[in-house]
Structures are given as structure tokens and as C-alpha cells.
Amino acid sequence: MDKIGIRNLVICALALSAVTSVCLGATPDSFEFVEVEVPGATDIFLQDINESGVATGTVVLDGLDRAFIWDSRTNSTTILSGTATESGFGFEINSFGDVAGQADFTAALWGAGSVTPTQTDFNGSTFLRAQSVSDSGEILLQPSNTLARPSVFRSDGTLDNLQAPTGPGYATSGVPSFAFPRYSAVSINSSGFVVGSAFASGVNDMRDAIIWNPEGIPTIIRSSVNDTTFSRGR
């Protein structure tokens, strides 16, 4: 889902147990904790929740990780199947109920209302995980190789790689401008902006926040991403 200020529905705690809590409310002073339980689960991890109060995450059943959704309106859970071994992780859910995640160590999208992956092939390519899905249908994909580039699967079916960020040299290290050898992206909004981070090994061990514009061009920031662009801040 898109990150816009303070969510009306907030995951307030991620408990490493068979019960976790969600904090629900229209304003901070009206929040209430609601316990999320899945029968037979040994661990529950909530990752994201949309404006309708539907959350996604991962539940451990019979020793196996399973993607799932929880609907606060009905206090019901639905297990999302994988493609072979049934393993899976839910990372993000958009306003329509589409879930981005991982099924059997492959990027997967569960379309709204579907308990099986509706997409694991992205223009002929496969990825380790689908990290994020926007309300406009664009999917942020993470490669299995940490040195490879994250990509965005556009709503028109094209696949765009995110450019490697670059940064200025640092006087303390004497290193000139460099390209970050490792970087990752974590979320995409409806306007196509992507936020993530990069790590430059050996250059003061720098880790920087990064935002990519809809053309995939990066800017080094410390920011958050909202519906239209980004705002600076630590």
C-alpha cells in the first residue's frame, strides 16, 4: 500500500508468537489493540495493512512459512498458498487487496481474492521476491543476487531496472565518487517513486536512504515516500 503520513490502521507490534497485535483507529487517541490469532500457528508476523484494515504477513503452520491475510472487519484469516511446497511470505498489500510476496523462494503476486499466486513470471524473468505493489499495479521486485538490480514491473508489462545510486567521495577515506555495490528497494507508490537503501562497503561503511523517480534514477536522501513524491527528513 502507499505510505501517506500516519496510517489510519497501524501495525503497532510484531510479536514472535502465535498471537500478535494490531492497533486500529481513525486517530491516535482512538487506537485499540486487536489480537490476531491463527489456529495451529506457532508464530505470526504481520508486515503491512491497508486502509480497509486488511493485513498481510507470514504465519508458521506445521513448521512451514505461509503467506496469509487477516481482515480486521471480520477478524478472519486466509492462508495464501505457494506454488509447490506451499511456503510463502506476504510483504505488502495495496488498497485493492493485491499482495506482494514470495512463494517457494520466487517473487509472487496474489491478486485480490486469490489464494494462489496469480503472477510469478515478470516479462520472462523471475525474482527472489515481490517486495511491494502499488495501487496503480506496479510491482517492486528484488533479485536473488544482492549485486543485481531491483526492478519495477510496470502496469503495461514492461520491466525496468533501477539504476545504481552514486555518491560523493568522503574526505576521511580519500575515496572519489563511487557506485554503491549493494542496494535494495522496499516500497513503491502510485506515482512510481521507489524508496530503499544502499550500502557502500569500505567507504566509511555508509548506508544511505535512496529514492528512485519513475524513470528509475536514484537520489541519495533520508526520507519517506508518499503519494506524489518524497519529503526530506531523518
Side-chain angles (χ1 to χ4, degrees), residues 6-80:
I6 300 175
R7 295 183 186 176
N8 289 337
L9 300 160
V10 183
I11 296 174
C12 292
L14 302 182
L16 306 184
S17 67
V19 179
T20 191
S21 296
V22 176
C23 190
L24 304 178
T27 61
D29 59 357
S30 66
F31 284 154
E32 64 173 323
F33 281 97
V34 177
E35 290 188 344
V36 179
E37 298 185 61
V38 180
T42 55
D43 292 288
I44 300 173
F45 307 89
L46 289 179
Q47 293 286 103
D48 193 37
I49 190 167
N50 66 17
E51 286 85 353
S52 298
V54 182
T56 190
T58 303
V59 62
V60 180
L61 291 169
D62 299 322
L64 196 64
D65 295 318
R66 304 285 297 275
F68 82 109
I69 57 175
W70 172 76
D71 193 330
S72 67
R73 299 164 296 187
T74 58
N75 195 24
S76 59
T77 59
T78 302
I79 303 299
L80 304 179

Side-chain angles (χ1 to χ4, degrees), residues 8-223:
N8 289 337
L9 300 160
V10 183
I11 296 174
C12 292
L14 302 182
L16 306 184
S17 67
V19 179
T20 191
S21 296
V22 176
C23 190
L24 304 178
T27 61
D29 59 357
S30 66
F31 284 154
E32 64 173 323
F33 281 97
V34 177
E35 290 188 344
V36 179
E37 298 185 61
V38 180
T42 55
D43 292 288
I44 300 173
F45 307 89
L46 289 179
Q47 293 286 103
D48 193 37
I49 190 167
N50 66 17
E51 286 85 353
S52 298
V54 182
T56 190
T58 303
V59 62
V60 180
L61 291 169
D62 299 322
L64 196 64
D65 295 318
R66 304 285 297 275
F68 82 109
I69 57 175
W70 172 76
D71 193 330
S72 67
R73 299 164 296 187
T74 58
N75 195 24
S76 59
T77 59
T78 302
I79 303 299
L80 304 179
S81 299
T83 56
T85 66
E86 300 295 310
S87 68
F89 300 86
F91 296 131
E92 191 171 290
I93 184 168
N94 67 11
S95 297
F96 301 105
D98 303 317
V99 173
Q102 183 187 70
D104 306 320
F105 306 102
T106 300
L109 180 76
W110 288 268
S114 177
V115 298
T116 58
T118 53
Q119 189 165 7
T120 55
D121 180 273
F122 300 92
N123 200 13
S125 300
T126 56
F127 292 82
L128 177 64
R129 65 181 182 269
Q131 187 70 45
S132 173
V133 57
S134 72
D135 286 351
S136 59
E138 295 187 321
I139 305 168
L140 178 61
L141 300 163
Q142 286 290 130
S144 55
N145 183 348
T146 57
L147 298 180
R149 296 182 178 185
S151 300
V152 175
F153 186 75
R154 305 294 182 185
S155 54
D156 62 3
T158 58
L159 189 65
D160 293 335
N161 292 329
L162 299 179
Q163 294 182 21
T166 59
Y170 297 90
T172 55
S173 65
V175 177
S177 296
F178 60 90
F180 285 89
R182 289 179 289 173
Y183 58 102
S184 61
V186 296
S187 190
I188 185 169
N189 71 7
S190 294
S191 298
F193 285 87
V194 174
V195 69
S197 63
F199 179 75
S201 178
V203 185
N204 292 344
D205 291 329
M206 287 292 298
R207 181 177 293 277
D208 284 304
I210 308 294
I211 192 165
W212 286 267
N213 68 16
E215 288 71 47
I217 300 171
T219 300
I220 298 174
I221 59 167
R222 286 176 173 81
S223 73

